[in-house]
Amino acid sequence: MTVAHEAPEVAVASVSEAVIEGEKAEFRCKASGIPTPSITWKRLDSDLPDGALVRNGLLTIPSTGPEDAGTYTCKAVNDEGEDSTNVLLEIIGKEMSQDLEQMPGSTLNDI
């Protein structure tokens, strides 16, 4: 009896995240394939941010800064091949997030 082998196939929960500066960012990556693929995270054009953690396909950046914005790649590899997908992290500045919080309360009478 032979066991089927399958090249990896990557799936991410979200292809982009926007987080407020200083907040935690998380990207979850899962991969199917036989044998079970190994999953790695990389950052396009640079290293992962200081303090970034990768565990069981989950990339966590505990406290984001403007420099963390960019494209990250989840890659799955097994003996049958590899697959990867990109995700985008956007950082919203603290000043901008405060402006957004104040917007719903404004009325035309304020003008």
Side-chain angles (χ1 to χ4, degrees):
M1 183 169 137
T2 59
V3 177
H5 290 268
E6 294 177 0
E9 195 168 313
V10 169
V12 291
S14 172
V15 293
S16 70
E17 289 285 326
V19 299
I20 297 169
E21 183 180 341
E23 298 290 316
K24 176 170 68 172
E26 287 186 330
F27 287 104
R28 183 171 299 285
C29 180
K30 293 184 179 183
S32 61
I34 301 170
T36 302
S38 63
I39 297 174
T40 57
W41 279 98
K42 293 190 175 183
R43 186 173 179 184
L44 222 55
D45 302 326
S46 64
D47 295 329
L48 288 176
D50 289 341
L53 305 169
V54 178
R55 186 170 180 197
N56 297 328
L58 179 68
L59 169 63
T60 304
I61 303 169
S63 180
T64 57
E67 67 282 356
D68 298 327
T71 302
Y72 294 80
T73 303
C74 173
K75 183 176 181 180
V77 178
N78 70 8
D79 293 341
E80 298 301 309
E82 63 183 54
D83 189 27
S84 64
T85 193
N86 291 338
V87 297
L88 179 65
L89 176 60
E90 295 180 76
I91 306 299
I92 301 168
K94 289 184 179 181
E95 302 79 23
M96 179 71 101
S97 68
Q98 289 170 350
D99 291 346
L100 292 174
E101 287 173 12
Q102 293 170 1
M103 285 175 97
S106 62
T107 65
L108 289 174
N109 293 339
D110 295 339
I111 299 174

